[in-house]
Amino acid sequence: MTRDVKFIGSDARLMEAARIMKEMNIGAIPVSEGNDLKGIITDRDIVVRGVASGLDPTGAHVGEAMSEKVVSCAEEADVSDAARLMETEQIRRLPVIGG
């Protein structure tokens, strides 16, 4: 679990999200507005929903390609419950929300 999480706004450019991912060696960034989690942008979202769909990564916004449905769990969740949730939802990344 990573505690020093980098967030990005939905109005940021896809190119900025890709640059952050490269610099931090990560494949996903939570998308927030203030303290609200609005979605998640992954490297795959940038390629498939963005570039392959004809969006210009220098001009298109994160909000145009992000995944809006975010499955998360509480920080207190048992690791086996988190793994089961990931299996049920068929996801590879699970944001853990602290209290």
Side-chain angles (χ1 to χ4, degrees), residues 1 18-21 25 30 38 41 43 50 53 62 64 69-71 80-81 86 88-89 92 94 96 98-99:
M1 184 169 81
R19 182 188 50 75
I20 292 168
M21 288 179 193
N25 194 30
K38 295 297 183 183
I41 185 82
D43 46 6
S53 296
V62 166
E64 296 176 70
K69 179 185 176 198
V70 179
V71 178
S80 60
D81 292 334
M86 292 175 76
T88 301
E89 295 292 329
R92 287 180 258 172
L94 182 67
V96 178

Side-chain angles (χ1 to χ4, degrees), residues 15-71:
M15 187 69 88
E16 179 183 354
R19 182 188 50 75
I20 292 168
M21 288 179 193
K22 179 181 178 187
E23 288 174 0
M24 296 182 71
N25 194 30
I26 57 176
I29 307 172
V31 180
S32 66
E33 287 181 20
N35 290 332
D36 295 329
L37 185 61
K38 295 297 183 183
I40 191 165
I41 185 82
T42 66
D43 46 6
R44 187 173 193 283
D45 291 334
I46 292 170
V47 173
V48 175
R49 290 188 181 152
V51 177
S53 296
L55 296 179
D56 175 4
T58 62
H61 294 100
V62 166
E64 296 176 70
M66 72 181 190
S67 299
E68 291 184 17
K69 179 185 176 198
V70 179
V71 178

